[in-house]
């Protein structure tokens, strides 16, 4: 079975930037990648940012956040946007990529939707998976991973070394 690595982001957006940097560096090295990285855009109001997913291997950027208003406390994730992104990533899985990057294993994945099935399919095909995780989602992720996931430090070079080691193990 392929490797499953995750990083827990520190400050707001740090994990997203780190995964985007991994994708950028490996893409520049010619790696065929699949997955998504998150791009956060601050709003002029200083409130919550807009969240978009850039689909690796394609040109699309998909908005996954909803503007619920200034007083809202509910989940801003747009489930339709997320499912659109999942469908687009599925089209990049052939030919087989060297690595699947998923911006976040979140509430949707814990509940059985989002990228959950795609992550499982990639692992079953021996495609290493690298993803981001918030601390509050760690218990749900651990239940999914069943002890097979490896926590990675939030350091670009260490994460790149992990990716390269996984890809070398698959050859």
């Amino acid at each position: 079975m392929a490797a499953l690595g995750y990083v827990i982001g520190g400050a707001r957006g740090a994990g997203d930037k780190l995964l985007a940097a991994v994708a950028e560096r490996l893409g520049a090295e010619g790696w065929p990648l699949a997955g998504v990285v998150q791009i956060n855009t601050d709003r002029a109001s200083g409130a919550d940012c807009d969240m978009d997913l850039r689909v690796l291997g394609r040109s699309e950027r998909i908005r996954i956040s909803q503007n619920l208003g200034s007083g809202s406390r509910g989940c801003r994730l747009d489930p339709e946007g997320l499912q659109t992104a999942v469908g687009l990533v599925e089209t990049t899985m052939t030919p087989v990529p060297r690595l699947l990057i998923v911006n976040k294993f979140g509430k949707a994945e814990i509940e059985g939707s989002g990228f959950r099935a795609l992550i499982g399919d990639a692992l079953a095909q021996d495609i290493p998976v690298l993803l981001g995780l918030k601390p509050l989602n760690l218990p749900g992720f651990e239940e999914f991973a069943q002890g097979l996931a490896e926590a990675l430090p939030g350091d670009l070079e260490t994460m790149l070394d992990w990716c390269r080691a996984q890809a070398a193990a698959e050859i």
Side-chain angles (χ1 to χ4, degrees):
M1 178 173 254
L4 175 58
Y6 68 94
V7 62
I8 295 179
R12 179 179 164 194
D16 298 323
K17 290 176 185 172
L18 190 56
L19 289 173
V22 168
E24 183 178 327
R25 287 274 296 272
L26 295 177
E29 292 175 16
W31 283 46
L33 301 171
V36 291
V37 292
Q38 186 168 316
I39 300 160
N40 300 315
T41 306
D42 289 330
R43 293 186 187 156
S45 66
D48 294 323
C49 62
D50 289 324
M51 300 179 298
D52 297 311
L53 294 181
R54 181 173 60 87
V55 180
L56 303 175
R58 295 184 59 116
S59 61
E60 288 90 351
R61 285 175 75 158
I62 309 300
R63 174 77 31 102
I64 62 165
S65 59
Q66 303 176 73
N67 185 352
L68 301 176
S70 61
S72 175
R73 298 259 184 240
C75 179
R76 298 184 320 114
L77 179 68
D78 176 5
E80 289 180 25
L82 180 61
Q83 284 313 115
T84 297
V86 171
L88 290 171
V89 172
E90 287 173 344
T91 70
T92 66
M93 296 300 288
T94 304
V96 175
R98 217 163 154 191
L99 177 70
L100 173 67
I101 298 175
V102 177
N103 69 305
K104 194 171 285 106
F105 191 95
K107 184 178 177 187
E109 287 75 20
I110 290 169
E111 293 175 349
S113 62
F115 284 97
R116 184 183 181 114
L118 190 59
I119 293 167
D121 290 346
L123 293 171
Q125 294 177 56
D126 289 327
I127 301 168
V129 178
L130 176 64
L131 54 84
L133 189 64
K134 288 185 175 181
L136 67 97
N137 294 327
L138 186 58
F141 174 72
E142 287 176 332
E143 184 177 323
F144 167 80
Q146 298 179 1
L148 300 176
E150 182 177 349
L152 302 172
D155 170 74
L156 178 60
E157 293 305 322
T158 303
M159 290 177 66
L160 290 167
D161 289 345
W162 180 88
C163 293
R164 292 176 183 124
Q166 302 319 308
E170 298 301 320
I171 295 174

